[in-house]
Amino acid sequence: RPIDRGYLINPDLQRDIWSHLFNSLLHVSPSSSSLLLTEPLFSLPSIQRSTDELIFEDFGFYSLFVADSPSLVHLYESSRRPDSLLSEAQCSLVVDCGFSFTHVAPVFQNCTLNYGVKRIDLGGKALTNYLKELVSYRSINVMDETFLMDDVKEKLCFVSLDVETDLQIARKQGKDNLFRCTYVLPDGVTHKKGYVEDPEAAQRHLRASSSAAMEPNKEAYQLETIAKTEERKRVDLTKNEFDLMNERFLVPEMIFQPADLGMNEAGLAECIVRAVNACHPYLRPVLYQSIILTGGSTLFPRFAERLPILDVWRGGSLLASSPNFESTCVTKAEYEEHGSARCRRRFFH
């Protein structure tokens, strides 16, 4: 990948990817086009210079506008809900949990308050790696199957609302264990993609409350009859499948408890509190009432009722379509006259 932990580290590879994108897929003429680019928060000046050289010197774009993800998410959500508190106060707290890291960023009047931004160096990549380690230790070696385990994570993992209770349930046998499910690996002949053996059984925990799960003889038994009634056997290592139990909720739990992975960092809840407390006291009640979740790693069931993964792109689309967008961009002529560092000040909030 040309990008590592959100930052551009291989401009040559990025040039090849963008060249294919602009020429073969989008069919755009850079010399007559403006580019809206999103960059991670706190990008280093050396990376910014490499990006500007790539955009203006290699591709020759007419102008450039650089934005960060939180401000675009806020822009989209405020336009989508014009009567909401978020829109009226022009203030929100954006939780962006992506591939490499998680940012908690307060936004005020479409500007990210950098002094209040908090970061966790943990995202979807680390969660997939942790799931690979758990499955490899307990069942089958899948350390080299990143894309396959991404699929397992997306289909079967969820956020627990009561970890202690769910751990007790995961220890139960047979139909009393609401979390046990089987994932079948691809064999390359009959099926080329992995799949969940019994999708109905894999969703039992979502239909049973924690209190009902502690007394499964009635409701859990009824739910079990809908799915398979026979007891699960231990994984046969000669077969092309493995079982998941407490891994399903322990992996997403790392976002809230990074210390369990040996990381000396605060969890998501504590990061939210620290980000809010870094802002003016008048803003704090509004920030707590206007939390926006975005990013692929927020798509676990029970993470939130609504998880707008495309908000960054949608906000960027609104910004690029605004009448005054061109006037806020840095043109190629300005870049050649003043250089990258001076032009970048226009996008600094």
Side-chain angles (χ1 to χ4, degrees):
R1 292 187 175 91
I3 295 178
D4 181 42
R5 300 178 187 180
Y7 300 110
L8 180 66
I9 61 171
N10 191 335
D12 294 333
L13 181 56
Q14 187 67 57
R15 182 190 302 110
D16 295 338
I17 295 175
W18 278 358
S19 178
H20 173 71
L21 177 66
F22 296 144
N23 298 328
S24 302
L25 299 180
L26 298 180
H27 304 288
V28 299
S29 174
S31 60
S32 59
S33 302
S34 297
L35 179 66
L36 170 60
L37 179 70
T38 58
E39 275 188 349
L41 294 167
F42 313 122
S43 181
L44 297 174
S46 58
I47 298 178
Q48 294 176 350
R49 285 195 298 270
S50 297
T51 303
D52 292 346
E53 291 174 2
L54 193 61
I55 292 170
F56 285 123
E57 298 180 15
D58 292 355
F59 288 101
F61 271 93
Y62 172 75
S63 62
L64 167 70
F65 187 93
V66 178
D68 56 74
S69 297
S71 62
L72 295 181
V73 172
H74 173 87
L75 175 63
Y76 169 70
E77 285 296 321
S78 60
S79 65
R80 190 175 68 88
R81 296 179 289 172
D83 298 328
S84 65
L85 174 65
L86 181 152
S87 180
E88 293 178 357
Q90 282 299 301
C91 183
S92 66
L93 187 71
V94 177
V95 178
D96 187 354
C97 189
F99 180 75
S100 299
F101 46 73
T102 298
H103 275 136
V104 180
V107 180
F108 182 66
Q109 294 183 347
N110 286 341
C111 294
T112 301
L113 306 180
N114 288 340
Y115 57 82
V117 175
K118 303 300 176 184
R119 168 172 167 156
I120 308 174
D121 288 322
L122 190 148
K125 180 181 179 181
L127 298 184
T128 299
N129 290 339
Y130 183 48
L131 180 60
K132 288 194 296 185
E133 292 178 2
L134 292 177
V135 173
S136 298
Y137 177 76
R138 299 178 180 181
S139 302
I140 302 174
N141 185 1
V142 291
M143 291 303 294
D144 296 329
E145 304 295 338
T146 299
F147 292 105
L148 184 69
M149 296 310 293
D150 272 337
D151 184 61
V152 176
K153 178 186 70 174
E154 293 168 4
K155 289 181 178 178
L156 294 177
C157 289
F158 64 93
V159 172
S160 172
L161 302 181
D162 188 340
V163 177
E164 294 297 329
T165 299
D166 288 346
L167 282 173
Q168 295 297 325
I169 298 172
R171 293 190 180 100
K172 296 179 181 292
Q173 300 295 323
K175 62 179 180 293
D176 292 347
N177 189 337
L178 301 180
F179 305 129
R180 183 189 295 271
C181 61
T182 301
Y183 188 87
V184 182
L185 299 170
D187 59 11
V189 180
T190 59
H191 54 281
K192 297 183 179 180
K193 293 183 178 180
Y195 63 91
V196 180
E197 185 178 73
D198 191 343
E200 185 71 17
Q203 300 299 317
R204 289 177 299 171
H205 65 281
L206 296 177
R207 297 189 298 268
S209 63
S210 297
S211 59
M214 294 301 293
E215 300 176 355
N217 292 332
K218 296 181 180 180
E219 184 175 355
Y221 179 77
Q222 295 174 354
L223 294 171
E224 184 70 21
T225 57
I226 298 176
K228 292 185 175 182
T229 56
E230 68 273 11
E231 292 188 1
R232 300 285 185 185
K233 297 180 180 180
R234 289 187 176 182
V235 174
D236 183 354
L237 297 181
T238 63
K239 292 184 178 180
N240 214 24
E241 64 184 34
F242 58 84
D243 280 357
L244 289 179
M245 288 180 287
N246 60 15
E247 301 95 335
R248 299 181 62 188
F249 57 86
L250 289 181
V251 170
E253 183 67 18
M254 294 305 100
I255 299 177
F256 303 92
Q257 302 290 341
D260 291 348
L261 280 178
M263 301 176 63
N264 187 22
E265 297 192 27
L268 181 59
E270 187 175 350
C271 273
I272 290 176
V273 173
R274 291 183 178 183
V276 172
N277 288 342
C279 299
H280 194 280
Y282 290 166
L283 295 179
R284 293 172 189 172
V286 183
L287 290 173
Y288 277 124
Q289 295 181 67
S290 305
I291 296 178
I292 307 173
L293 300 180
T294 188
S297 295
T298 63
L299 293 177
F300 293 112
R302 292 180 175 174
F303 202 105
E305 294 299 323
R306 174 168 175 80
L307 306 171
I309 186 174
L310 295 177
D311 276 8
V312 176
W313 185 90
R314 290 165 176 161
S317 177
L318 289 174
L319 178 61
S321 302
S322 62
N324 60 343
F325 174 71
E326 293 290 344
S327 62
T328 59
C329 293
V330 169
T331 64
K332 187 173 185 291
E334 291 174 327
Y335 167 77
E336 293 173 346
E337 180 180 357
H338 303 295
S340 173
R342 186 171 177 182
C343 290
R344 283 278 176 160
R345 296 176 186 173
R346 182 173 302 182
F347 310 122
F348 179 76
H349 301 307

